[in-house]
Amino acid sequence: KAKRNLPEGDPIGKRDVTRNIIVQAGERIQITFQRKNLVVSMSGRALSSGSFDEKIRVRPDGSVKSFQGSVSGEKEVRIEFR
């Protein structure tokens, strides 16, 4: 998304555009924990905002522990364990 009107033909720099935030801090989200073939999904809250594939902090419902995961879609965060 452009921050301002961009003249036709001018190159576009990072300062000319904003990130497309698809997870907002405080929003209810779906968290997917994945390790090889095991996948567990649960609801939780985003502790920070982020755009696609950006790392953010989340907290599953009923937990005091927070985790870092990657935004994988609108209101969705993926956490991979190795």
Side-chain angles (χ1 to χ4, degrees):
K1 187 173 178 180
K3 290 182 181 178
R4 61 183 177 86
N5 287 331
L6 301 170
E8 188 175 329
D10 279 5
I12 299 172
K14 285 185 177 183
R15 293 184 292 196
D16 295 325
V17 295
T18 61
R19 300 178 299 152
N20 186 19
I21 301 296
I22 57 176
V23 172
Q24 297 285 341
E27 173 172 76
R28 294 198 48 71
I29 58 168
Q30 188 67 26
I31 304 168
T32 302
F33 292 89
Q34 185 172 356
R35 182 173 185 184
K36 296 185 182 178
N37 294 332
L38 176 66
V39 178
V40 177
S41 292
M42 62 186 63
S43 58
R45 288 219 180 261
L47 301 179
S48 53
S49 299
S51 56
F52 183 76
D53 214 27
E54 188 173 14
K55 301 271 189 206
I56 65 168
R57 302 252 0 130
V58 298
R59 179 175 292 132
D61 288 343
S63 176
V64 294
K65 187 172 181 176
S66 66
F67 299 88
Q68 184 176 21
S70 297
V71 176
S72 56
E74 191 170 329
K75 298 184 182 184
E76 297 177 354
V77 174
R78 181 185 68 248
I79 299 168
E80 294 183 19
F81 292 100
R82 303 201 190 270

